[in-house]
mmCIF file of all heavy atoms in Angstrom:
data_model
loop_
_atom_site.group_PDB
_atom_site.id
_atom_site.type_symbol
_atom_site.label_atom_id
_atom_site.label_comp_id
_atom_site.label_asym_id
_atom_site.label_seq_id
_atom_site.Cartn_x
_atom_site.Cartn_y
_atom_site.Cartn_z
ATOM 1 N N THR A 373 12.527 -11.747 19.415
ATOM 2 C CA THR A 373 12.826 -12.888 18.386
ATOM 3 C C THR A 373 14.224 -13.234 18.242
ATOM 4 O O THR A 373 14.589 -14.377 18.052
ATOM 5 C CB THR A 373 12.246 -12.264 17.031
ATOM 6 O OG1 THR A 373 10.892 -11.858 17.328
ATOM 7 C CG2 THR A 373 12.170 -13.381 16.000
ATOM 8 N N VAL A 374 15.189 -12.185 18.286
ATOM 9 C CA VAL A 374 16.610 -12.454 18.240
ATOM 10 C C VAL A 374 17.256 -11.546 19.324
ATOM 11 O O VAL A 374 16.722 -10.533 19.741
ATOM 12 C CB VAL A 374 17.139 -12.060 16.847
ATOM 13 C CG1 VAL A 374 16.517 -12.876 15.711
ATOM 14 C CG2 VAL A 374 16.698 -10.558 16.511
ATOM 15 N N THR A 375 18.381 -12.034 19.710
ATOM 16 C CA THR A 375 19.125 -11.362 20.617
ATOM 17 C C THR A 375 20.219 -10.398 19.880
ATOM 18 O O THR A 375 20.525 -10.432 18.764
ATOM 19 C CB THR A 375 19.944 -12.386 21.605
ATOM 20 O OG1 THR A 375 20.954 -13.008 20.738
ATOM 21 C CG2 THR A 375 18.956 -13.280 22.137
ATOM 22 N N ALA A 376 20.742 -9.546 20.656
ATOM 23 C CA ALA A 376 21.865 -8.660 20.125
ATOM 24 C C ALA A 376 22.951 -9.481 19.649
ATOM 25 O O ALA A 376 23.580 -9.204 18.475
ATOM 26 C CB ALA A 376 22.361 -7.668 21.224
ATOM 27 N N ARG A 377 23.353 -10.621 20.182
ATOM 28 C CA ARG A 377 24.421 -11.447 19.774
ATOM 29 C C ARG A 377 24.065 -12.020 18.372
ATOM 30 O O ARG A 377 24.842 -12.089 17.476
ATOM 31 C CB ARG A 377 24.866 -12.535 20.703
ATOM 32 C CG ARG A 377 25.922 -13.521 20.391
ATOM 33 C CD ARG A 377 26.235 -14.481 21.373
ATOM 34 N NE ARG A 377 26.790 -13.891 22.475
ATOM 35 C CZ ARG A 377 28.026 -13.544 22.684
ATOM 36 N NH1 ARG A 377 28.864 -13.800 21.676
ATOM 37 N NH2 ARG A 377 28.533 -12.994 23.766
ATOM 38 N N GLN A 378 22.889 -12.501 18.270
ATOM 39 C CA GLN A 378 22.350 -13.047 16.991
ATOM 40 C C GLN A 378 22.287 -12.001 15.882
ATOM 41 O O GLN A 378 22.606 -12.315 14.739
ATOM 42 C CB GLN A 378 20.982 -13.714 17.161
ATOM 43 C CG GLN A 378 20.875 -14.995 17.935
ATOM 44 C CD GLN A 378 19.533 -15.464 18.072
ATOM 45 O OE1 GLN A 378 18.714 -14.791 18.506
ATOM 46 N NE2 GLN A 378 19.294 -16.683 17.744
ATOM 47 N N ILE A 379 22.016 -10.767 16.232
ATOM 48 C CA ILE A 379 21.986 -9.679 15.299
ATOM 49 C C ILE A 379 23.376 -9.532 14.702
ATOM 50 O O ILE A 379 23.597 -9.262 13.468
ATOM 51 C CB ILE A 379 21.492 -8.392 15.885
ATOM 52 C CG1 ILE A 379 19.936 -8.431 16.110
ATOM 53 C CG2 ILE A 379 21.896 -7.210 15.071
ATOM 54 C CD1 ILE A 379 19.176 -8.469 14.819
ATOM 55 N N LEU A 380 24.472 -9.444 15.486
ATOM 56 C CA LEU A 380 25.718 -9.294 15.032
ATOM 57 C C LEU A 380 26.247 -10.533 14.242
ATOM 58 O O LEU A 380 27.106 -10.345 13.339
ATOM 59 C CB LEU A 380 26.749 -9.019 16.277
ATOM 60 C CG LEU A 380 26.364 -7.640 16.955
ATOM 61 C CD1 LEU A 380 27.382 -7.472 18.016
ATOM 62 C CD2 LEU A 380 26.450 -6.447 15.975
ATOM 63 N N ASP A 381 25.719 -11.740 14.615
ATOM 64 C CA ASP A 381 25.940 -12.834 13.860
ATOM 65 C C ASP A 381 25.362 -12.770 12.443
ATOM 66 O O ASP A 381 25.952 -13.212 11.387
ATOM 67 C CB ASP A 381 25.567 -14.206 14.524
ATOM 68 C CG ASP A 381 26.444 -14.535 15.707
ATOM 69 O OD1 ASP A 381 27.576 -13.954 15.787
ATOM 70 O OD2 ASP A 381 25.956 -15.329 16.622
ATOM 71 N N LEU A 382 24.216 -12.328 12.482
ATOM 72 C CA LEU A 382 23.337 -12.150 11.219
ATOM 73 C C LEU A 382 23.885 -11.065 10.274
ATOM 74 O O LEU A 382 23.982 -11.197 9.101
ATOM 75 C CB LEU A 382 21.898 -11.787 11.531
ATOM 76 C CG LEU A 382 20.889 -11.601 10.478
ATOM 77 C CD1 LEU A 382 20.692 -13.030 9.932
ATOM 78 C CD2 LEU A 382 19.602 -11.185 11.100
ATOM 79 N N PHE A 383 24.349 -9.849 10.873
ATOM 80 C CA PHE A 383 24.921 -8.664 10.150
ATOM 81 C C PHE A 383 26.433 -8.518 10.665
ATOM 82 O O PHE A 383 26.574 -7.562 11.458
ATOM 83 C CB PHE A 383 24.077 -7.528 10.328
ATOM 84 C CG PHE A 383 22.598 -7.761 10.013
ATOM 85 C CD1 PHE A 383 21.655 -7.598 10.943
ATOM 86 C CD2 PHE A 383 22.291 -7.887 8.772
ATOM 87 C CE1 PHE A 383 20.308 -7.773 10.681
ATOM 88 C CE2 PHE A 383 20.914 -8.156 8.380
ATOM 89 C CZ PHE A 383 19.934 -7.972 9.344
ATOM 90 N N PRO A 384 27.408 -9.297 10.351
ATOM 91 C CA PRO A 384 28.688 -9.058 10.840
ATOM 92 C C PRO A 384 29.220 -7.753 10.578
ATOM 93 O O PRO A 384 30.109 -7.375 11.187
ATOM 94 C CB PRO A 384 29.563 -10.215 10.216
ATOM 95 C CG PRO A 384 28.719 -10.694 8.955
ATOM 96 C CD PRO A 384 27.305 -10.482 9.413
ATOM 97 N N ALA A 385 28.836 -7.186 9.389
ATOM 98 C CA ALA A 385 29.364 -5.804 9.036
ATOM 99 C C ALA A 385 29.074 -4.738 10.157
ATOM 100 O O ALA A 385 29.796 -3.854 10.358
ATOM 101 C CB ALA A 385 28.801 -5.408 7.767
ATOM 102 N N LEU A 386 27.882 -4.956 10.783
ATOM 103 C CA LEU A 386 27.450 -3.930 11.868
ATOM 104 C C LEU A 386 28.496 -4.099 13.119
ATOM 105 O O LEU A 386 28.738 -3.120 13.753
ATOM 106 C CB LEU A 386 26.097 -4.303 12.370
ATOM 107 C CG LEU A 386 24.999 -3.970 11.308
ATOM 108 C CD1 LEU A 386 23.476 -4.146 11.880
ATOM 109 C CD2 LEU A 386 25.106 -2.684 10.708
ATOM 110 N N GLY A 387 28.946 -5.344 13.369
ATOM 111 C CA GLY A 387 29.851 -5.501 14.394
ATOM 112 C C GLY A 387 31.175 -4.751 14.002
ATOM 113 O O GLY A 387 31.811 -4.123 14.951
ATOM 114 N N GLU A 388 31.595 -4.752 12.839
ATOM 115 C CA GLU A 388 32.841 -4.131 12.325
ATOM 116 C C GLU A 388 32.667 -2.549 12.363
ATOM 117 O O GLU A 388 33.652 -1.895 12.394
ATOM 118 C CB GLU A 388 33.197 -4.681 11.141
ATOM 119 C CG GLU A 388 33.552 -6.106 10.939
ATOM 120 C CD GLU A 388 33.562 -6.702 9.543
ATOM 121 O OE1 GLU A 388 33.596 -5.871 8.617
ATOM 122 O OE2 GLU A 388 33.711 -7.854 9.377
ATOM 123 N N ARG A 389 31.410 -2.120 12.155
ATOM 124 C CA ARG A 389 31.105 -0.706 12.185
ATOM 125 C C ARG A 389 30.517 -0.155 13.464
ATOM 126 O O ARG A 389 29.778 0.831 13.459
ATOM 127 C CB ARG A 389 30.258 -0.414 11.004
ATOM 128 C CG ARG A 389 30.650 -1.012 9.626
ATOM 129 C CD ARG A 389 31.788 -0.282 8.997
ATOM 130 N NE ARG A 389 31.800 -0.706 7.603
ATOM 131 C CZ ARG A 389 32.784 -1.607 7.310
ATOM 132 N NH1 ARG A 389 33.496 -2.178 8.261
ATOM 133 N NH2 ARG A 389 32.913 -2.102 5.998
ATOM 134 N N ARG A 390 30.647 -0.757 14.482
ATOM 135 C CA ARG A 390 29.976 -0.527 15.763
ATOM 136 C C ARG A 390 30.075 0.952 16.223
ATOM 137 O O ARG A 390 29.109 1.479 16.814
ATOM 138 C CB ARG A 390 30.560 -1.487 16.884
ATOM 139 C CG ARG A 390 29.712 -1.406 18.102
ATOM 140 C CD ARG A 390 30.288 -2.451 19.058
ATOM 141 N NE ARG A 390 30.375 -3.679 18.407
ATOM 142 C CZ ARG A 390 30.389 -4.962 19.141
ATOM 143 N NH1 ARG A 390 30.116 -4.969 20.341
ATOM 144 N NH2 ARG A 390 30.445 -6.108 18.512
ATOM 145 N N HIS A 391 31.169 1.618 15.876
ATOM 146 C CA HIS A 391 31.358 2.933 16.391
ATOM 147 C C HIS A 391 31.143 4.006 15.243
ATOM 148 O O HIS A 391 31.508 5.085 15.428
ATOM 149 C CB HIS A 391 32.764 3.135 16.914
ATOM 150 C CG HIS A 391 33.046 2.147 18.095
ATOM 151 N ND1 HIS A 391 32.328 2.288 19.354
ATOM 152 C CD2 HIS A 391 33.907 1.092 18.315
ATOM 153 C CE1 HIS A 391 32.812 1.283 20.119
ATOM 154 N NE2 HIS A 391 33.665 0.576 19.472
ATOM 155 N N HIS A 392 30.755 3.517 14.075
ATOM 156 C CA HIS A 392 30.372 4.422 13.031
ATOM 157 C C HIS A 392 29.010 4.940 13.063
ATOM 158 O O HIS A 392 28.114 4.323 13.594
ATOM 159 C CB HIS A 392 30.542 3.667 11.672
ATOM 160 C CG HIS A 392 31.948 3.374 11.249
ATOM 161 N ND1 HIS A 392 32.772 2.400 12.012
ATOM 162 C CD2 HIS A 392 32.742 3.867 10.320
ATOM 163 C CE1 HIS A 392 33.978 2.381 11.485
ATOM 164 N NE2 HIS A 392 34.068 3.222 10.533
ATOM 165 N N ARG A 393 28.785 6.222 12.541
ATOM 166 C CA ARG A 393 27.563 6.732 12.420
ATOM 167 C C ARG A 393 26.900 6.452 11.007
ATOM 168 O O ARG A 393 27.676 6.015 10.111
ATOM 169 C CB ARG A 393 27.570 8.173 12.635
ATOM 170 C CG ARG A 393 27.887 8.532 14.168
ATOM 171 C CD ARG A 393 27.972 10.038 14.402
ATOM 172 N NE ARG A 393 27.962 10.247 15.856
ATOM 173 C CZ ARG A 393 29.113 10.090 16.661
ATOM 174 N NH1 ARG A 393 30.306 9.785 16.072
ATOM 175 N NH2 ARG A 393 28.984 10.290 17.864
ATOM 176 N N PRO A 394 25.509 6.594 10.808
ATOM 177 C CA PRO A 394 24.945 6.292 9.551
ATOM 178 C C PRO A 394 25.630 6.819 8.288
ATOM 179 O O PRO A 394 25.688 6.056 7.265
ATOM 180 C CB PRO A 394 23.490 6.795 9.680
ATOM 181 C CG PRO A 394 23.353 6.746 11.106
ATOM 182 C CD PRO A 394 24.601 7.136 11.852
#
Side-chain angles (χ1 to χ4, degrees):
T373 307
V374 293
T375 65
R377 181 178 294 276
Q378 285 176 311
I379 285 292
L380 294 180
D381 289 340
L382 185 63
F383 304 117
L386 296 184
E388 298 169 5
R389 311 279 189 268
R390 193 173 307 205
H391 302 296
H392 288 69
R393 290 180 170 80

